[in-house]
Amino acid sequence: MSELKFFIPCVPPRATAQQKGAFVAGGKVRFYKKARIAQAESDWISLLRPHAPESPLQGPLLVDVSFVFPFKKTERKADRERGWVRSDTRPDVDNLCKMLFDAMSRLGFWNDDGQIADMRARKMRGQATGLAVYISEIGAGE
């Protein structure tokens, strides 16, 4: 059974795939990627590339991700001393996962993100900002 575990120290991109632009041309609505969305996708690809496996993980997968953003200036001193606090502000954690998983699919972490059968995602603010990822193939008896 294969697994991957890594931490990328960074300030995770806050843009999500749902923030697309739209315009009407020829009576039809056309969607496009805004520049900041394209930049966020490029950032994810660059950050994840060194951690991509040699071959895609197979079968059903367990994925655990933690997005750690910087503390707000108004954060309480007690929270800062603890080292982290759960975040209840935008962007939504499910939308952050969508862009991340799309980038991971493009880099060959798995064949398709439909393989994710068990997922946990956290969004926090803390001193050690970054992205923590754990991925494991789920065995037949699990």
Side-chain angles (χ1 to χ4, degrees):
M1 185 164 46
S2 294
E3 66 179 24
L4 293 171
K5 184 176 184 177
F6 57 90
F7 179 78
I8 301 172
C10 67
V11 176
R14 297 181 62 86
T16 64
Q18 285 68 27
Q19 300 169 336
K20 293 185 176 161
F23 66 94
V24 177
K28 294 185 178 183
V29 177
R30 308 280 183 191
F31 294 95
Y32 65 95
K33 288 182 188 175
K34 293 181 179 178
R36 71 185 217 107
I37 305 308
Q39 182 61 53
E41 287 177 350
S42 176
D43 291 347
W44 277 128
I45 295 288
S46 296
L47 291 168
L48 292 165
R49 182 171 279 121
H51 304 282
E54 290 182 20
S55 61
L57 297 170
Q58 301 298 313
L61 301 174
L62 177 147
V63 177
D64 188 319
V65 295
S66 296
F67 298 89
V68 185
F69 294 97
F71 278 116
K72 293 180 178 179
K73 291 180 182 177
T74 58
E75 213 74 59
R76 296 181 324 193
K77 184 178 178 184
D79 291 333
R80 289 181 183 269
E81 288 173 357
R82 184 172 67 184
W84 62 272
V85 65
R86 302 270 183 200
S87 177
D88 59 356
T89 59
R90 291 190 181 268
D92 300 352
V93 72
D94 58 322
N95 293 337
L96 287 169
C97 287
K98 180 63 180 155
M99 186 176 282
L100 173 68
F101 293 166
D102 287 347
M104 293 174 92
S105 293
R106 286 179 55 192
L107 289 169
F109 279 80
W110 44 64
N111 294 313
D112 182 77
D113 58 5
Q115 290 175 248
I116 300 171
D118 190 347
M119 181 185 85
R120 178 165 184 191
R122 289 173 226 64
K123 182 180 58 168
M124 302 177 281
R125 291 187 303 276
Q127 294 173 1
T129 62
L131 173 71
V133 176
Y134 173 78
I135 307 168
S136 177
E137 293 176 342
I138 299 174
E142 295 180 52

